[in-house]
mmCIF file of all heavy atoms in Angstrom:
data_model
loop_
_atom_site.group_PDB
_atom_site.id
_atom_site.type_symbol
_atom_site.label_atom_id
_atom_site.label_comp_id
_atom_site.label_asym_id
_atom_site.label_seq_id
_atom_site.Cartn_x
_atom_site.Cartn_y
_atom_site.Cartn_z
ATOM 1 N N LYS A 85 -10.979 -6.985 -5.704
ATOM 2 C CA LYS A 85 -11.559 -6.938 -4.365
ATOM 3 C C LYS A 85 -10.558 -7.315 -3.280
ATOM 4 O O LYS A 85 -10.777 -7.026 -2.120
ATOM 5 C CB LYS A 85 -12.771 -7.857 -4.282
ATOM 6 C CG LYS A 85 -13.957 -7.325 -5.034
ATOM 7 C CD LYS A 85 -15.154 -8.203 -4.819
ATOM 8 C CE LYS A 85 -16.367 -7.608 -5.515
ATOM 9 N NZ LYS A 85 -17.577 -8.380 -5.228
ATOM 10 N N LYS A 86 -9.431 -7.969 -3.640
ATOM 11 C CA LYS A 86 -8.445 -8.405 -2.660
ATOM 12 C C LYS A 86 -7.526 -7.288 -2.190
ATOM 13 O O LYS A 86 -6.781 -7.490 -1.251
ATOM 14 C CB LYS A 86 -7.578 -9.523 -3.240
ATOM 15 C CG LYS A 86 -8.154 -10.880 -3.085
ATOM 16 C CD LYS A 86 -7.128 -11.896 -3.523
ATOM 17 C CE LYS A 86 -7.574 -13.288 -3.180
ATOM 18 N NZ LYS A 86 -6.589 -14.276 -3.602
ATOM 19 N N GLU A 87 -7.557 -6.118 -2.809
ATOM 20 C CA GLU A 87 -6.635 -5.046 -2.443
ATOM 21 C C GLU A 87 -6.788 -4.701 -0.975
ATOM 22 O O GLU A 87 -7.869 -4.713 -0.429
ATOM 23 C CB GLU A 87 -6.882 -3.815 -3.311
ATOM 24 C CG GLU A 87 -6.473 -4.032 -4.735
ATOM 25 C CD GLU A 87 -6.663 -2.797 -5.578
ATOM 26 O OE1 GLU A 87 -6.909 -1.726 -5.018
ATOM 27 O OE2 GLU A 87 -6.566 -2.917 -6.798
ATOM 28 N N LYS A 88 -5.667 -4.374 -0.348
ATOM 29 C CA LYS A 88 -5.668 -4.064 1.077
ATOM 30 C C LYS A 88 -6.272 -2.688 1.321
ATOM 31 O O LYS A 88 -6.168 -1.799 0.495
ATOM 32 C CB LYS A 88 -4.246 -4.097 1.612
ATOM 33 C CG LYS A 88 -3.637 -5.475 1.513
ATOM 34 C CD LYS A 88 -2.444 -5.580 2.384
ATOM 35 C CE LYS A 88 -1.791 -6.906 2.198
ATOM 36 N NZ LYS A 88 -2.001 -7.876 3.140
ATOM 37 N N PRO A 89 -6.869 -2.484 2.519
ATOM 38 C CA PRO A 89 -7.445 -1.190 2.839
ATOM 39 C C PRO A 89 -6.359 -0.141 3.039
ATOM 40 O O PRO A 89 -5.231 -0.466 3.379
ATOM 41 C CB PRO A 89 -8.199 -1.445 4.139
ATOM 42 C CG PRO A 89 -7.569 -2.657 4.713
ATOM 43 C CD PRO A 89 -7.074 -3.470 3.553
ATOM 44 N N ILE A 90 -6.724 1.095 2.838
ATOM 45 C CA ILE A 90 -5.808 2.211 3.013
ATOM 46 C C ILE A 90 -6.174 2.889 4.323
ATOM 47 O O ILE A 90 -7.310 3.289 4.524
ATOM 48 C CB ILE A 90 -5.940 3.221 1.858
ATOM 49 C CG1 ILE A 90 -5.650 2.538 0.534
ATOM 50 C CG2 ILE A 90 -5.020 4.412 2.079
ATOM 51 C CD1 ILE A 90 -5.967 3.388 -0.665
ATOM 52 N N ALA A 91 -5.218 3.019 5.228
ATOM 53 C CA ALA A 91 -5.477 3.681 6.503
ATOM 54 C C ALA A 91 -5.729 5.159 6.262
ATOM 55 O O ALA A 91 -5.210 5.755 5.320
ATOM 56 C CB ALA A 91 -4.297 3.484 7.438
ATOM 57 N N SER A 92 -6.510 5.788 7.116
ATOM 58 C CA SER A 92 -6.865 7.186 6.949
ATOM 59 C C SER A 92 -5.729 8.116 7.308
ATOM 60 O O SER A 92 -5.757 9.287 6.987
ATOM 61 C CB SER A 92 -8.079 7.532 7.815
ATOM 62 O OG SER A 92 -7.717 7.474 9.190
ATOM 63 N N GLY A 93 -4.734 7.619 8.034
ATOM 64 C CA GLY A 93 -3.632 8.456 8.466
ATOM 65 C C GLY A 93 -3.833 8.950 9.885
ATOM 66 O O GLY A 93 -2.940 9.517 10.487
ATOM 67 N N LYS A 94 -5.036 8.756 10.445
ATOM 68 C CA LYS A 94 -5.281 9.151 11.827
ATOM 69 C C LYS A 94 -4.531 8.194 12.730
ATOM 70 O O LYS A 94 -4.380 7.020 12.433
ATOM 71 C CB LYS A 94 -6.773 9.099 12.146
ATOM 72 C CG LYS A 94 -7.569 10.114 11.384
ATOM 73 C CD LYS A 94 -9.020 10.020 11.730
ATOM 74 C CE LYS A 94 -9.814 11.012 10.897
ATOM 75 N NZ LYS A 94 -11.249 10.841 11.089
ATOM 76 N N GLU A 95 -4.081 8.721 13.854
ATOM 77 C CA GLU A 95 -3.315 7.904 14.786
ATOM 78 C C GLU A 95 -4.141 6.715 15.241
ATOM 79 O O GLU A 95 -5.290 6.848 15.631
ATOM 80 C CB GLU A 95 -2.892 8.734 15.989
ATOM 81 C CG GLU A 95 -1.884 8.018 16.859
ATOM 82 C CD GLU A 95 -1.291 8.926 17.909
ATOM 83 O OE1 GLU A 95 -1.233 10.141 17.685
ATOM 84 O OE2 GLU A 95 -0.899 8.394 18.951
ATOM 85 N N GLY A 96 -3.583 5.539 15.163
ATOM 86 C CA GLY A 96 -4.259 4.323 15.589
ATOM 87 C C GLY A 96 -5.114 3.681 14.515
ATOM 88 O O GLY A 96 -5.606 2.582 14.696
ATOM 89 N N ASP A 97 -5.331 4.352 13.377
ATOM 90 C CA ASP A 97 -6.157 3.783 12.308
ATOM 91 C C ASP A 97 -5.289 2.929 11.410
ATOM 92 O O ASP A 97 -4.357 3.414 10.782
ATOM 93 C CB ASP A 97 -6.826 4.881 11.491
ATOM 94 C CG ASP A 97 -7.782 4.330 10.436
ATOM 95 O OD1 ASP A 97 -7.969 3.092 10.399
ATOM 96 O OD2 ASP A 97 -8.329 5.118 9.672
ATOM 97 N N THR A 98 -5.592 1.652 11.363
ATOM 98 C CA THR A 98 -4.821 0.727 10.536
ATOM 99 C C THR A 98 -5.535 0.379 9.255
ATOM 100 O O THR A 98 -5.084 -0.450 8.491
ATOM 101 C CB THR A 98 -4.547 -0.573 11.307
ATOM 102 O OG1 THR A 98 -5.805 -1.160 11.630
ATOM 103 C CG2 THR A 98 -3.743 -0.309 12.557
ATOM 104 N N GLY A 99 -6.687 0.997 9.028
ATOM 105 C CA GLY A 99 -7.443 0.689 7.838
ATOM 106 C C GLY A 99 -8.512 -0.347 8.093
ATOM 107 O O GLY A 99 -9.237 -0.731 7.193
#
Side-chain angles (χ1 to χ4, degrees):
K85 288 185 177 185
K86 274 188 171 180
E87 290 182 11
K88 296 197 184 258
I90 301 171
S92 68
K94 294 180 183 173
E95 191 170 333
D97 185 4
T98 61

